[in-house]
Amino acid sequence: MDQVYKVAPQLLKFLSYLLGWLPWIGKPVAGFLSNPPAWFLLAVAIAIPILFVVSVFPGIFAYTTLVERKALGRIQNRIGPNRVGRWGLLQPIADGVKLLTKEDIVPRSADKFVHFLAPVIAVIPSVLLFSVVPVGAGLVPVDLNIGILFAFAISTASVLALFMGGWASRNKFSLLGAMRAVAQVVSYEVPMVLAAVAVVMAAGSLSTLAIAKAQGGGILNVTHWFVFRPWGFVGFILFTIGAMAESARTPFDIPEAESEIIAGYHTEYSGFKFALFQLGEYLASIAMAGITVTMFLGGYNGPGSGPGILGGLISMFWFFAKLGGMIVLTIWIRGTWPRVRVDQLMSFAWKVLLPMSIVNIVAVGMWHYIAIRPIAWVVTTLWLVLWFITLSKLAASENIEKREYRYAS
Amino acid sequence: MGFIGKGLFEGMVVTARNFVGSYFDKERLVTVQYPEERVQVPENSRTFPFLVFDKDSDPVASMRCVACKICEVECPPQCIYIVMDRDEKGKPQQRPKVFDIDISVCMQCQICVEVCPFDAIKMDNNYEKSQYGRFDELVEHLPELLKSNEFYNKIKPTEATAVDAKLKADAEKKAKKAAPAAKPAATAAKPAAPAAPKPAPVAAPTAKIAIPDDAPFTPEQRQWLSGYLSTVAASGVAPAAAAPVAGTPAAPATEAPAGNWPWHDPGLGMQRRLDLAKETPIADKLMAAMAQTDCHACGYDCRGYADAIATGAETDLSLCLPGEAETANMLKKLMQEAGKL
C-alpha cells in the first residue's frame, strides 16, 4: 500500500488529464484530481488494492474453472467446453448467468438465516487472504508484520462457513460433509502451520513481504528460493499437501465427495449461493497457492524482478506465472489421483505429515547453526531422508492382514 | 527402483501423456461433435426403407415400385400400407397412389427389400428421424419415401452398383427376347386377339349386389366391398346361378371395370379364389390362380397374363412374382387339367 500511496498522485494527475476534456464537469474534476486533499489520496490508495483483489482474483477463479474443465477433459481424452465462444472462452460468463438465473432453493426445515449467511461467510476469508499475498516487488495490499499468522487464522475461519452451511441445511449429507470438513481442516492446519514455521525461522519474519524478499538474490534471483533447500523442499511438499487438504482439492475432497455424500456441505445450495461456495473454495485454493509461492517458490522473485516500474512488472509476471503453475499442478493432481478415505486422511495427517513437519523444523535449526553450507546440505538432507523412510515405514507397518476367504473360493 | 509414492508419479505421467496426446493423436480424441460432424455410417448399416426412382425429372413416373404389395404382405409388423394408383376408368397405373411406412412400427428387418422383385424398395441409413409427435409425424408418405437412384448409389455404392448392373442386364435380356419374338408374337396375336374376349364372361350379373351410389365409400372401398359381397353371394347361389350365365356376350365383359371378377382380390387365399372360379372357363381359372395384385411383373395385368397363357401367347408360367411358386405350380396344374400342356 505504501507504494500505491506514492504512485497515487501521478495516477490521479493522469486521470485528470484524461477527464479534462469532458464538458462542464471536466474542468472542476480535473482540478480536484490534480491537486487532491490528503484524505482523498488515502482513499484512492486504499481503493486501488481492493479493486485489484476484487477484480483480478475472481477473474482468475473464473478462468481457472474453464482451464480446469478443459484440462480434465484433455486428460480424459475429451475436448471440454468449446460451445460458448472460441475455445469456450465465454464459458465462465455463461456459467455465471446460468447460476444467477437458477431458482434459489432453501429447504423448508433449514435454519434460513444461517443458511443464507454461510455462502457469504465462505467468500470473505478467501478474499481477505489476498490482503497479505505480495503480487510483485513491494506490491502487497497490506504489509502486515504477522502476515503468515493472519493468513492461517483467516483461512481456518472458512471452515466455519462450511459447518454453518452443513448444519443449517438440515440434511444428513450436508452435515456429514460439514463434519468431515471440520475434521479435515483442523487436522491439516497443524502440519501446515508447522511447515510454515520452518520458513518463518529461516526468513526471520512473519511478514509475507519479508519472506519473499529473503528469497531474492543468488543466480538470476532463483537459487535462493526456499524450495531449493532440503528443508524448503520438504516444507513445500508438506505445505502443498496441507493447502490442498485445507481447500478441499481433489485427493482430499472428502467434504464434498460426490460419490459418497452427494455434494457434502453444499448439497442444499443452488443458484448463486452454490456459486459463492464454489467461489470461496477456489479463491481459498488460489490464495493458498499464492502463499505457497510466496513462502517456497521465491514469491515474486525471478530473472529480472526488482524495484522500479519495469522490475515491478516483471516481478508481477513471475508471481502470476508461478501462481498459474501451482493452479495447473492442482488441476493435474485432480485429474490423476483418487480420493483418499477418511481414515487414510486422518492417519496420513497425524502419522506422517505432523512428525515430518516437526523433523523439518529441526532441519532448519541445523541449517541455521551449521555454518559451512556443504556440510549443512549433507546433514539436513540425510536427516530428512532417514526420517522420511522411517516414518513411511512406520505408517505402512500397520500389519495389513491378508484376507482369507473362507466361504468364497 | 521403488520408493513410496512411486505409483502417484506414474499416474501423473499417464495423465500428462493423455493430455498432450489428445492434441496430437487423432486416435485419442475420439469425440465427434455431432451436429457439425457425423460418424461415417457403415455402408451396410440400415434404418428405414425408402423407394427408389430413376429420373430426377419425374420421380413419380420413374419410380420402380409397381404397387404389387408383396412387401405389404410380407412385412412382419405390417407397417406398410399401399394403395395402387388407377386412372378414371379404374385401370391400374403400375404405381402406388398411397405408400405409407409407419416408422414407429417398422422393425428395420429389411424383409421388404429382400422380397421386392423390382429393386424398388431399399434400406436408408439416415438415423435422424426424430419428430415432435408420436403418431402422424412418424408415418412416412410417398413424397418423403421417394429417393433417387443417385442417392442410393451414394449411400450404398457396392450394393447399388450390383443392383444397377442386374437391372441393366435384365433390360437387355428383355429387349433381346422382345426383338425376335416381335414377329411371331405379331402373327400369333392375330388369332389370339379374337380369342381373348372369349373367356371373359363371369358370374357377374347374378352375383352382383348393388351398392347404393350414395353409400359413403371411397372407390377403393366400394371396389373391395363389391368384390367381397359378390363372393359371399357367389358361394351361396353359385351352383344355381353361375352356370347359365357362362355364355354371356363377350364384348361387355371385357369393357367391364376391374373388380367384376369375384376372385380378383389379393386378400383371398388361393383355394378360395379357385373355388370362386370353379365354374368358369380356363382363362378365369388361370386368373384366379394369380396373386391378384395387378403388379405387371409379368408384363401384363392379372387378366392379361391369364388370357395370354390361355391363348398360348405366353408360355412361361413362372412370371407371377407375387404369387411365387404357389401360383406357378397351380398354373401348371390347371393347364395340365385343361389338357393344354
Side-chain angles (χ1 to χ4, degrees), chain A residues 197-199 201-202 231 359-369 380:
Chain A
V197 164
V199 173
M201 282 168 70
W231 51 268
V359 166
N360 199 34
I361 290 172
V362 177
V364 183
M366 291 175 175
W367 180 270
H368 186 72
Y369 284 108
T380 48

Side-chain angles (χ1 to χ4, degrees), chain A residues 234-249:
Chain A
V234 171
F236 170 65
I237 290 168
L238 292 174
F239 194 85
T240 310
I241 293 171
M244 286 172 82
E246 180 108 356
S247 47
R249 294 287 306 180

Side-chain angles (χ1 to χ4, degrees), chain A residues 12 17 56 100 134 156 206 219 241 278 307 313 345 365 374 386 403:
Chain A
L12 289 175
Y17 175 72
V56 169
L100 272 173
T156 317
L206 276 165
I219 302 157
I241 293 171
Q278 213 70 345
L313 285 176
L345 180 93
L386 287 176
R403 199 176 280 183

